[in-house]
Amino acid sequence: MKKLLVYLKEYKKETILAPLFKLLEATLELFVPLVVAAIIDVGIAGGDTGYILRMVGILVLLGAVGLAFSITAQFFAAKAAVGFVKKLRQVLFFHIQKLSYTELDTQGTSTLITRMTSDMNQVQSGLNLTLRLLMRSPFVIVGAMVMAFTVDSKAALVFAVDIPALALVVFGIMFASIPLYRKVQSRLDGVMLLTRENLTGVRVLRAFCKEEEQVREFSQKNQELTDMQKFVGRISALLNPLTYIIVNAAIIALIWVGALRVDMGLLTQGAVVALYNYMAQILTEMVKLANMIINLTRSIACGNRIAAVLEVEPTVTDGNGVRSNLRVKEQNEPGEPESGAGTRSETVPEEDCAVIRGESENSSAVGEKQCFAVEFRHAHLRYPNAADESLTDIDFAVKPGETVGVIGGTGSGKSSLVNLIPRFYDCEKGQVLVDGADVRDYSLDDLRGRIGVVPQKAVLFAGTIRENLQWGRRDAAEKEMIAALKTAQIAEIIEKKENGLDSLVEQGGRNFSGGQRQRLTIARALVRRPEILILDDSSSALDYATDAALRKAIAAMQPKPTLFLVSQRTSSIMHADKIVVLDDGQVAGIGTHGDLLNTCSVYREIYESQFHDASGKSDGEVPAV
């Protein structure tokens, strides 16, 4: 929590003025019992109405000035608390954006949402109360005791016994409740996770008739949260009654001692009333302090959780900004996009490329000069806490403009492989190179600015179609967007809409079908004019004809991007320049469709499971779609 206070630097003035004005208010409040005592002992005892009215006027003045101080303190406290949380929320959101997939997978979406919402609100509330009461309440408690000793030192000994007892109760409950509030927040995370899974997967739940099971699971987690909150609540609930018992017992003792001293003529009636008022002030401030401490313990627990996320260091960080070792030049004139591609960089002639390597599978002769757009050099990937590697010794290279199909069984590592290119994950061993430079040497903006990625799950954002396409490139012209939509085979559907590119997209794109969402996300990637385009099983919702038309349109783009096509369909990748077959994280074969049918049993098994004649035998050839 202490590490978060650095974000209060911008509000130094407010953090000083808020407690200061509260102390001024508290100072005025300490004089009220003395004025009341004077009214009783002088005004009422002497029947001096004018004196009484003057003292009442002083009380009104003290109240008015104290109210002004209180409002001013509240203004500064609120400004500091709201500003602090605003800054902290921005810092946390920016930090989350820097986290790699590895950290996001580890932290969990529901946990991060809780940190950004309920934890932030709790920190804001705790800081507001702290600025207003942390100094005021102890000041009033100590000040009331000092003032009581100025009235009558022997009667005020009751205060000397009462205040330590109150402190013992308050701080004892505080230290007992702090760790319990951490458990409450942890159980709240579990409820939020389950709620999120149920809301996002409601169709699946209903399809498998899992509603009752999920209701039982939710009830169990909700009951665990409730039980923990009740347990903490019972401990916290002891605070008020215990403080009231101690203070009221002290009041009884005070009145008894005061009455004896009045009978002895050592104390006036007004002084007894003043002592009683000081005791009442102590009671009020103790209750405020207790509630503030309870709130503060929650805020500290929430602040520590936020700090824990900020302490997570991203494993994928910016490189040293090295750009590709290949020179680039512009292919098209500005404003003349072709096939949705627009202008982008093109590699220089092959004779200017460096000698990279000469494996037989990637070059015709050892030492031959090659320009590789993407190259995997014995890359290995292991996810955090995983027992085995997800990718093992991936080694192949891809020339600029080539189409690479990636196929394999479920869990074979297809998405993991293409996720290494934009550095969504970093390989544990080996290298991934783009244009001859290690991806870890690029700045992330430079690297990912070259790459268009269409993930498995089509994600659209609330807004308009135009705004969603501009995620690909903010300054994209309308004709570039239309060209990208045509390449993605969805231009006709958009043109039929009343508002065209300005048609609304609901959250998650739920007002579009699955296939339309996929094509819009492909168009968004094409607007970027990427040098490398990754389609990670992003046409699974498309029919074969649309899928074929999409691949044909991408192949016709000028300049043509280097295409990585991840698919479960052999029909989608069979015409690729190179097909990479994965099996349990390892390369089972690399080659063309015809080569792999003859040399790779894994590929042949996948192919025959999808295309076979009536007798169950493969026909060996698939008609062009």
Side-chain angles (χ1 to χ4, degrees), residues 27-336:
T27 302
L28 296 178
E29 187 175 324
L30 291 175
F31 287 105
V32 170
L34 297 180
V35 177
V36 173
I39 291 174
I40 295 172
D41 292 337
V42 179
I44 296 177
D48 190 345
T49 304
Y51 183 83
I52 294 174
L53 292 177
R54 288 195 299 273
M55 290 297 104
V56 170
I58 292 175
L59 286 177
V60 172
L61 180 62
L62 289 174
V65 176
L67 178 62
F69 287 157
S70 179
I71 293 174
T72 305
Q74 177 60 59
F75 169 77
F76 286 121
K79 184 178 180 181
V82 172
F84 167 73
V85 170
K86 173 191 172 184
K87 178 67 175 177
L88 183 58
R89 188 180 283 115
Q90 288 175 336
V91 170
L92 180 61
F93 186 78
F94 180 72
H95 182 74
I96 291 173
Q97 297 304 310
K98 294 193 300 181
L99 297 179
S100 70
Y101 281 16
T102 300
E103 289 80 48
L104 293 175
D105 293 342
T106 303
Q107 294 293 320
T109 304
S110 60
T111 298
L112 296 176
I113 291 174
T114 303
R115 304 294 183 271
M116 288 290 296
T117 52
S118 63
D119 284 354
M120 287 289 181
N121 292 337
Q122 189 63 54
V123 169
Q124 178 178 320
S125 175
L127 179 59
N128 195 325
L129 285 175
T130 299
L131 292 176
R132 290 189 293 116
L133 299 178
L134 185 61
M135 293 183 65
R136 183 192 189 280
S137 292
F139 178 80
V140 172
I141 293 169
V142 175
M145 185 172 68
V146 172
M147 295 298 288
F149 273 95
T150 63
V151 174
D152 185 78
S153 59
K154 291 188 177 180
L157 290 175
V158 175
F159 289 77
V161 177
D162 179 56
I163 291 178
L166 284 173
L168 181 64
V169 170
V170 169
F171 288 103
I173 291 177
M174 180 186 72
F175 287 122
S177 59
I178 285 177
L180 295 176
Y181 278 119
R182 293 196 188 100
K183 293 183 179 180
V184 168
Q185 291 299 123
S186 177
R187 281 170 170 74
L188 179 61
D189 280 348
V191 171
M192 287 195 66
L193 173 61
L194 186 61
T195 303
R196 179 177 176 273
E197 287 180 342
N198 275 267
L199 292 177
T200 55
V202 62
R203 289 178 175 82
V204 178
L205 292 174
R206 293 177 180 176
F208 286 91
C209 301
K210 293 288 185 179
E211 296 94 331
E212 293 184 4
E213 180 180 325
Q214 290 300 304
V215 167
R216 286 194 298 270
E217 185 176 355
F218 181 84
S219 297
Q220 178 183 350
K221 289 187 177 294
N222 194 32
Q223 188 61 47
E224 290 175 356
L225 173 61
T226 303
D227 291 342
M228 181 57 67
Q229 286 177 322
K230 285 181 177 179
F231 181 64
V232 179
R234 290 190 187 100
I235 295 176
S236 300
L238 291 173
L239 194 59
N240 283 352
L242 287 177
T243 53
Y244 273 104
I245 289 172
I246 294 172
V247 171
N248 284 312
I251 289 174
I252 293 172
L254 180 64
I255 293 175
W256 180 66
V257 172
L260 292 177
R261 293 182 67 77
V262 168
D263 285 341
M264 296 168 62
L266 300 175
L267 198 62
T268 64
Q269 294 177 347
V272 174
V273 172
L275 290 171
Y276 173 82
N277 285 336
Y278 283 128
M279 184 61 72
Q281 286 182 352
I282 291 175
L283 171 61
T284 302
E285 293 306 320
M286 273 294 184
V287 172
K288 287 182 181 179
L289 184 62
N291 290 329
M292 184 209 70
I293 289 174
I294 291 174
N295 196 293
L296 185 59
T297 56
R298 296 177 183 174
S299 300
I300 291 173
C302 293
N304 288 335
R305 286 149 52 89
I306 294 171
V309 176
L310 291 174
E311 289 172 358
V312 175
E313 293 294 333
T315 54
V316 175
T317 56
D318 261 342
N320 55 19
V322 170
R323 294 191 61 85
S324 170
N325 61 357
L326 299 180
R327 297 193 303 273
V328 296
K329 64 181 180 180
E330 293 299 320
Q331 170 73 8
N332 299 323
E333 293 298 325
E336 296 182 359

Side-chain angles (χ1 to χ4, degrees), residues 245-522:
I245 289 172
I246 294 172
V247 171
N248 284 312
I251 289 174
I252 293 172
L254 180 64
I255 293 175
W256 180 66
V257 172
L260 292 177
R261 293 182 67 77
V262 168
D263 285 341
M264 296 168 62
L266 300 175
L267 198 62
T268 64
Q269 294 177 347
V272 174
V273 172
L275 290 171
Y276 173 82
N277 285 336
Y278 283 128
M279 184 61 72
Q281 286 182 352
I282 291 175
L283 171 61
T284 302
E285 293 306 320
M286 273 294 184
V287 172
K288 287 182 181 179
L289 184 62
N291 290 329
M292 184 209 70
I293 289 174
I294 291 174
N295 196 293
L296 185 59
T297 56
R298 296 177 183 174
S299 300
I300 291 173
C302 293
N304 288 335
R305 286 149 52 89
I306 294 171
V309 176
L310 291 174
E311 289 172 358
V312 175
E313 293 294 333
T315 54
V316 175
T317 56
D318 261 342
N320 55 19
V322 170
R323 294 191 61 85
S324 170
N325 61 357
L326 299 180
R327 297 193 303 273
V328 296
K329 64 181 180 180
E330 293 299 320
Q331 170 73 8
N332 299 323
E333 293 298 325
E336 296 182 359
E338 296 184 14
S339 303
T343 60
R344 73 161 178 83
S345 299
E346 182 190 48
T347 55
V348 298
E350 187 172 317
E351 58 268 24
D352 290 334
C353 298
V355 176
I356 297 179
R357 66 175 187 174
E359 284 86 341
S360 60
E361 64 184 34
N362 295 313
S363 60
S364 58
V366 175
E368 181 183 357
K369 295 181 178 180
Q370 295 284 348
C371 286
F372 292 136
V374 179
E375 186 180 3
F376 290 83
R377 291 185 178 178
H378 304 287
H380 296 248
L381 174 65
R382 184 193 301 272
Y383 290 111
N385 303 319
D388 299 316
E389 290 183 333
S390 297
L391 294 174
T392 302
D393 198 27
I394 305 299
D395 191 72
F396 68 94
V398 182
K399 295 180 182 179
E402 279 190 330
T403 297
V404 180
V406 182
I407 196 169
T410 302
S412 59
K414 302 184 296 296
S415 295
S416 298
L417 185 144
V418 293
N419 281 338
L420 291 176
I421 301 172
R423 288 193 72 198
F424 293 151
Y425 299 95
D426 269 341
C427 54
E428 185 181 32
K429 292 187 290 185
Q431 288 180 298
V432 179
L433 291 82
V434 170
D435 285 346
D438 194 314
V439 292
R440 286 170 289 201
D441 291 334
Y442 283 92
S443 70
L444 292 176
D445 286 344
D446 184 17
L447 175 65
R448 293 172 183 173
R450 298 164 173 252
I451 302 171
V453 180
V454 184
Q456 288 180 336
K457 183 179 179 181
V459 178
L460 297 175
F461 299 90
T464 64
I465 295 174
R466 184 188 305 275
E467 290 170 346
N468 272 271
L469 293 179
Q470 286 176 335
W471 278 70
R473 186 161 56 88
R474 179 58 59 186
D475 60 347
E478 183 166 329
K479 59 182 179 181
E480 292 179 285
M481 297 184 193
I482 294 173
L485 292 171
K486 288 180 179 179
T487 302
Q489 309 301 304
I490 196 173
E492 292 183 5
I493 296 174
I494 303 304
E495 289 171 357
K496 291 178 182 178
K497 290 184 175 292
E498 182 178 354
N499 297 318
L501 287 173
D502 295 314
S503 300
L504 291 177
V505 178
E506 296 181 7
Q507 184 181 10
R510 58 175 176 263
N511 56 328
F512 291 89
S513 69
Q516 290 171 346
R517 286 197 296 270
Q518 284 190 337
R519 281 177 281 174
L520 281 173
T521 55
I522 292 172

